[in-house]
């Protein structure tokens, strides 16, 4: 286990717990994570490592911006993954992102199955993708569902406010993805 995992894992776990309790990730904690990432990268790899880590974090945030713009990820989730990319570097940051999406997909599918709405949500996801491709521009998913005014079992389809059906706290998936990355790194 590297020095990075020694601080990043518990920090990410705290961010996930806070997100579960409050549905927010405070910017001051993100700032603390970025500062800790800069110090640990500087200690481990020097100024060049800090620059490379910062670039990796910025690239991860830029890659995730389209998902944020359509409402698939929250700003806190993007910033959390930015800190992970900064701390881990480009290669491990990309693996963390991939493992986070895998964990999020598994958790999300399980939650939709448990709520009995997997088929409905898959229908809306496919309709959303088809509409976006036809229009050749991005739309917020929740606005698309409301604007479509679709009928489901005789009722207009809307997304519930607050704890929406199918909504997951992606910070928990990032934490799980980081744990998978640690296990993967230990095996290779």
């Amino acid at each position: 286990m590297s020095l990075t995992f020694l601080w990043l894992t518990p920090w990410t776990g705290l961010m996930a717990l806070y997100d579960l309790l409050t549905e927010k990730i405070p910017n001051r904690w993100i700032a603390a994570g970025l500062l800790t990432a800069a110090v640990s990268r500087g200690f481990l790899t020097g100024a060049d490592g800090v620059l490379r880590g910062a670039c990796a974090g910025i690239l991860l945030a830029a890659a995730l911006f389209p998902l944020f713009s359509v409402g698939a990820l929250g700003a806190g989730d993007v910033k959390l993954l930015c800190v992970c990319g900064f701390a881990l570097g480009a290669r491990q940051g990309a693996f963390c992102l991939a493992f986070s999406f895998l964990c999020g997909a598994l958790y999300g599918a399980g939650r939709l199955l448990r709520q009995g709405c997997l088929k409905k949500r898959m229908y809306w996801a496919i309709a959303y993708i088809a509409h976006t491709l036809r229009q050749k521009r991005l739309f917020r998913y929740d606005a698309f569902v409301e604007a479509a005014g679709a009928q489901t079992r005789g009722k207009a389809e809307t997304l519930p406010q607050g704890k929406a059906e199918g909504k997951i706290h992606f910070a928990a998936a990032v934490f799980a993805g980081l744990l998978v990355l640690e296990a993967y790194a230990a095996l290779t």
Side-chain angles (χ1 to χ4, degrees), residues 124-138:
W124 280 107
I126 292 167
Y128 169 78
I129 291 167
H131 181 72
T132 300
L133 291 174
R134 276 194 308 274
Q135 298 296 317
K136 297 182 180 165
R137 68 185 191 102
L138 295 174

Side-chain angles (χ1 to χ4, degrees), residues 4-174:
T4 301
F5 284 125
L6 286 176
W7 74 266
L8 186 60
T9 304
W11 180 83
T12 305
L14 284 173
M15 296 305 98
L17 180 61
Y18 195 84
D19 184 41
L20 286 168
L21 296 173
T22 67
E23 297 191 4
K24 298 206 179 295
I25 299 175
N27 284 335
R28 65 183 179 273
W29 290 6
I30 294 294
L34 288 170
L35 180 62
T36 306
V39 169
S40 69
R41 286 203 56 94
F43 178 74
L44 295 171
T45 58
D48 185 53
V50 173
L51 182 60
R52 287 175 186 248
C55 288
I58 291 167
L59 283 173
L60 268 179
L64 294 169
F65 185 77
L67 293 173
F68 166 72
S69 68
V70 298
L73 284 179
D77 301 322
V78 173
K79 292 181 278 188
L80 177 63
L81 282 160
C82 178
V83 172
C84 290
F86 191 162
L88 296 168
R91 184 174 185 276
Q92 283 189 316
F95 275 111
C96 180
L97 178 64
F99 290 142
S100 297
F101 277 124
L102 178 64
C103 291
L106 292 172
Y107 173 66
R111 182 173 172 151
L112 290 173
L113 278 170
R114 190 175 67 250
Q115 291 176 340
C117 61
L118 179 63
K119 184 177 176 183
K120 179 174 69 169
R121 288 291 157 208
M122 291 307 296
Y123 169 80
W124 280 107
I126 292 167
Y128 169 78
I129 291 167
H131 181 72
T132 300
L133 291 174
R134 276 194 308 274
Q135 298 296 317
K136 297 182 180 165
R137 68 185 191 102
L138 295 174
F139 299 88
R140 287 195 56 90
Y141 177 76
D142 53 355
F144 164 76
V145 172
E146 288 180 23
Q151 299 294 318
T152 305
R153 295 190 187 122
K155 295 188 236 174
E157 177 69 24
T158 58
L159 293 176
Q161 297 300 315
K163 295 192 184 250
E165 101 185 352
K167 178 183 175 186
I168 66 167
H169 294 275
F170 196 69
V174 173

